Amino acid sequence: MTRGRQRLLATGLEVTVPILLLVIWGVASSGSETYYFPPLTDILSTFADTWLFERVGSDVVPSLVRMGLGFGIAVVVAISTGLLLGLSPRARRAAAPIVEFLRSIPPPALLPFAILVIGVGNSMKVFIIAFVCIWPILLNTIDGVTGVDPTLRDTTRVYGIKGRDRLWRVMLPAASPQVFAGMRTSLSLALILMVISEMVASTNGIGYFVLQSQRTFAIPEMWSGILLLGILGYTLNGIFVLIERRVLRWHRGARASALG
């Protein structure tokens, strides 16, 4: 089978399976008389009325801004710290107990602390998202830097490549596949923590809307919010994969050459 046909088959499966599941869900729920599990047609109708432009500015945009800020801060802090710890064995040993302690704290347990110290505004939500997203990127960056091929390290030493050139042109590119793996994991965590942070002491956002819908027994609205979160997660992951493929195109080419 040619590569073009393989891609076409993969795309067909990726599109067909979700549509098939929606059809099954729609048929199975068409005669539903259970208040908590309304028919899919009702959920889709509510979705169109609620999320197509009506609440985009009031709920979707604030949620995405908080998520983007938290994720962006985590990426900058984690990669910078990961490079430092990865290049310095002494710093890595000294920081290991602190890193293991902080990353073991369950995220919901930080909410009371964040509310007391930071308040109930956007800063608290951004802090929670950033704090949780740091660890997968940090650990993958450290592992990527320490796992750089010794031959490559020796080559940079022989040719006198030092300082910024060694960091930006050798170490970071070599560790970038693992860095991106950590970023992809953190992206899904950012979406989860966005919802959790908005369910506590919030006045807008998708998480706030879903919780308020549940509390007021607006069940179709609640399901429409959950459906929106799934769509956002799928879309953000798809965008990230496209960026990753573009940035790491050289890595795939080198791996393909190595495999013959």
Side-chain angles (χ1 to χ4, degrees), residues 119-149:
V120 295
N122 289 331
S123 299
M124 179 271 290
K125 299 171 180 63
V126 172
F127 166 77
I128 292 293
I129 295 169
F131 181 86
V132 175
C133 290
I134 280 176
W135 310 115
I137 306 173
L138 175 64
L139 295 177
N140 274 271
T141 303
I142 294 172
D143 193 44
V145 173
T146 56
V148 172
D149 188 354

Side-chain angles (χ1 to χ4, degrees), residues 10 18 98-99 212 214 235:
I98 300 173
V99 171
Q212 288 301 111
Q214 177 262 323
T235 303

Side-chain angles (χ1 to χ4, degrees), residues 132-175:
V132 175
C133 290
I134 280 176
W135 310 115
I137 306 173
L138 175 64
L139 295 177
N140 274 271
T141 303
I142 294 172
D143 193 44
V145 173
T146 56
V148 172
D149 188 354
T151 303
L152 183 60
R153 290 175 180 269
D154 294 338
T155 302
T156 60
R157 193 177 298 112
V158 168
Y159 283 95
I161 302 174
K162 299 178 181 179
R164 291 184 180 181
D165 286 339
R166 178 171 178 262
L167 182 65
W168 292 105
R169 297 180 182 276
V170 179
M171 304 305 294
L172 187 57

Side-chain angles (χ1 to χ4, degrees), residues 43-54 224:
I43 296 173
L44 294 177
S45 176
T46 304
F47 182 92
D49 295 337
T50 305
W51 298 112
L52 294 185
F53 306 111
E54 181 182 342
S224 72

Side-chain angles (χ1 to χ4, degrees), residues 44 57 59 63 113 173 199 208 213 231 252:
L44 294 177
D59 289 307
S63 292
F113 161 79
M199 287 183 171
Y208 167 80
S213 299
I231 293 172
R252 296 200 311 276

Side-chain angles (χ1 to χ4, degrees), residues 170-246:
V170 179
M171 304 305 294
L172 187 57
S176 58
Q178 287 184 262
V179 174
F180 270 90
M183 290 171 61
R184 190 172 181 182
T185 301
S186 290
L187 185 63
S188 61
L189 292 175
L191 183 64
I192 294 170
L193 268 298
M194 178 196 79
V195 176
I196 293 176
S197 64
E198 290 175 348
M199 287 183 171
V200 180
S202 185
T203 57
N204 61 6
I206 303 172
Y208 167 80
F209 176 85
V210 171
L211 183 62
Q212 288 301 111
S213 299
Q214 177 262 323
R215 286 175 173 173
T216 57
F217 293 94
I219 304 304
E221 284 78 4
M222 180 193 75
W223 279 106
S224 72
I226 295 172
L227 183 61
L228 175 65
L229 290 171
I231 293 172
L232 282 177
Y234 180 84
T235 303
L236 291 172
N237 181 72
I239 294 172
F240 184 86
V241 168
L242 290 176
I243 296 172
E244 182 183 20
R245 286 177 180 172
R246 194 171 196 82

